[in-house]
Amino acid sequence: MLNILEDLKNNKLQKVAGDASFRSFYRFQDKNKNFILIHCRKQKEINLQQYSKINSFLRSHNLLAPNTFKLDLKLNYMIIEDLGDKTYFDLISKDKNKLRHYKKIVDTLIKVQSIKINLASTKIIKKSYTKNILFKESNLFFEWYATQHVNKNKIKNFKKDINIILSKIFSQITFANNYFVHRDFHVSNLMSFKKKVGIIDSQDALIGNPAYDILSLIDDVRIKTSNKLKEQILKYYLSKANKNFILNQAAFQNDFDILSVQRSLKIIGIFYRLHLRDGKKHYLPLIPYAWSLLHKRLKNPIFNELNQVLSHYLPMSKRK
């Protein structure tokens, strides 16, 4: 099909926009058909091998995900189907009627969440969203953001106080971990391809809570949406979810808010890490909106104690 080393060296491949991972993406044509080549510098088992497995898993359930044509872990690359370059971020950003696109995405998410988790699926998706994983992710906030904005003599106590509170909050999560969770289900990872919703960047999928992917879509830090639209998307999701699997809406809203707060803390930490460690400063302008999403969900009374500790260590002037 192509000589990967020579073509990369000679810049014969067209580089396309990437993500926050260690992967690079290239488009090339062979026999009048487009393909995407993914070259991975680190964590190739997850970013290449697991990505291919998850894509195959989704395809086996009649969902659109890139097909794998070649996988070479020795040379650190894989060749996959090209789903084009039209993301739902592009469509929604340019369309006044944003809800119609979100409804189509929600319909796809319902299909994803209707997948029965059994022994076969757990062999592919080997991990569940445990409390330890939730803590590991939220700790990114302390490791990368808080260390830059809180007095270094107070960081240890800040982290200790917050984690005690988060432990109580995480214990209030209602739904069991028995749903496919993409973990990064937002409009930049969803492609419009042949009138279908294509799902990409799914290598980090776990078995977890049904609230996680819909909150990732609604509280998407990369695209600003009104509170009205957020409510409309959630209302549409709940109307569909209740027809496919039973949902206690009060319990679901509780899990939604908890996991949204956890995710926002994680994202603020990740974006600051990308800035400090990787020199990717273009993620910094997204942090104020991530804070605003966090503040919105912190209005739930279950976060009163968390709000107090945050205010003590991180006043509003440091939440930028």
Side-chain angles (χ1 to χ4, degrees), residues 218-261:
I218 293 173
D219 285 355
D220 182 357
V221 70
R222 294 167 179 80
I223 185 167
K224 293 183 179 180
T225 54
S226 67
N227 289 335
K228 180 182 178 180
L229 181 57
K230 293 180 192 297
E231 291 167 4
Q232 288 174 324
I233 298 167
L234 183 57
K235 183 178 179 180
Y236 181 76
Y237 169 83
L238 291 172
S239 71
K240 291 286 184 175
N242 280 327
K243 294 177 182 177
N244 289 271
F245 38 85
I246 299 172
L247 283 178
N248 179 315
Q249 293 198 15
F252 186 85
Q253 185 66 58
N254 176 77
D255 287 11
F256 184 105
D257 289 346
I258 291 172
L259 292 171
S260 180
V261 165

Side-chain angles (χ1 to χ4, degrees), residues 156-170:
K156 188 175 180 179
N157 287 335
F158 178 38
K159 185 176 179 179
K160 179 182 176 182
D161 292 347
I162 288 286
N163 280 343
I164 290 172
I165 296 168
L166 286 178
S167 182
K168 296 177 188 176
I169 293 172
F170 293 158

Side-chain angles (χ1 to χ4, degrees), residues 93-294:
S93 298
K94 298 172 183 177
D95 196 340
K96 290 184 179 180
N97 184 6
K98 301 179 187 303
L99 184 59
R100 70 187 183 101
H101 298 297
Y102 278 109
K103 284 183 175 180
K104 191 170 184 178
I105 293 170
V106 167
D107 290 341
T108 299
L109 178 58
I110 293 295
K111 291 179 182 178
V112 172
Q113 295 186 336
S114 297
I115 296 173
K116 301 296 182 184
I117 301 300
N118 51 32
L119 184 61
S121 54
T122 55
K123 287 182 179 179
I124 297 171
I125 314 165
K126 298 177 181 179
K127 292 184 180 179
S128 292
Y129 230 125
T130 62
K131 185 185 280 191
N132 285 338
I133 291 178
L134 293 174
F135 273 118
K136 184 179 179 180
E137 292 182 346
S138 59
N139 279 339
L140 293 169
F141 174 80
F142 302 104
E143 293 169 14
W144 295 97
Y145 186 87
T147 52
Q148 303 297 313
H149 296 83
V150 177
N151 187 299
K152 64 180 181 179
N153 296 322
K154 297 180 179 180
I155 283 290
K156 188 175 180 179
N157 287 335
F158 178 38
K159 185 176 179 179
K160 179 182 176 182
D161 292 347
I162 288 286
N163 280 343
I164 290 172
I165 296 168
L166 286 178
S167 182
K168 296 177 188 176
I169 293 172
F170 293 158
S171 295
Q172 297 180 52
I173 292 175
T174 302
F175 283 84
N177 290 329
N178 52 11
Y179 295 84
F180 179 99
V181 178
H182 181 283
R183 289 180 81 190
D184 218 6
F185 196 81
H186 57 75
V187 293
S188 295
N189 282 338
L190 300 167
M191 311 300 296
S192 177
F193 185 71
K194 296 182 178 179
K195 299 183 179 180
K196 293 183 178 180
V197 178
I199 303 170
I200 63 171
D201 207 20
S202 56
Q203 66 280 347
D204 293 319
L206 293 179
I207 298 170
N209 193 294
Y212 197 91
D213 278 347
I214 186 61
L215 77 85
S216 300
L217 180 69
I218 293 173
D219 285 355
D220 182 357
V221 70
R222 294 167 179 80
I223 185 167
K224 293 183 179 180
T225 54
S226 67
N227 289 335
K228 180 182 178 180
L229 181 57
K230 293 180 192 297
E231 291 167 4
Q232 288 174 324
I233 298 167
L234 183 57
K235 183 178 179 180
Y236 181 76
Y237 169 83
L238 291 172
S239 71
K240 291 286 184 175
N242 280 327
K243 294 177 182 177
N244 289 271
F245 38 85
I246 299 172
L247 283 178
N248 179 315
Q249 293 198 15
F252 186 85
Q253 185 66 58
N254 176 77
D255 287 11
F256 184 105
D257 289 346
I258 291 172
L259 292 171
S260 180
V261 165
Q262 183 270 349
R263 179 173 168 81
S264 290
L265 288 172
K266 176 184 76 169
I267 285 175
I268 292 169
I270 288 174
F271 285 176
Y272 225 76
R273 181 178 67 183
L274 288 166
H275 158 57
L276 292 175
R277 187 191 69 184
D278 303 332
K280 297 180 179 180
K281 295 184 179 181
H282 57 281
Y283 286 95
L284 283 182
L286 300 176
I287 290 179
Y289 187 54
W291 270 114
S292 71
L293 293 172
L294 180 59

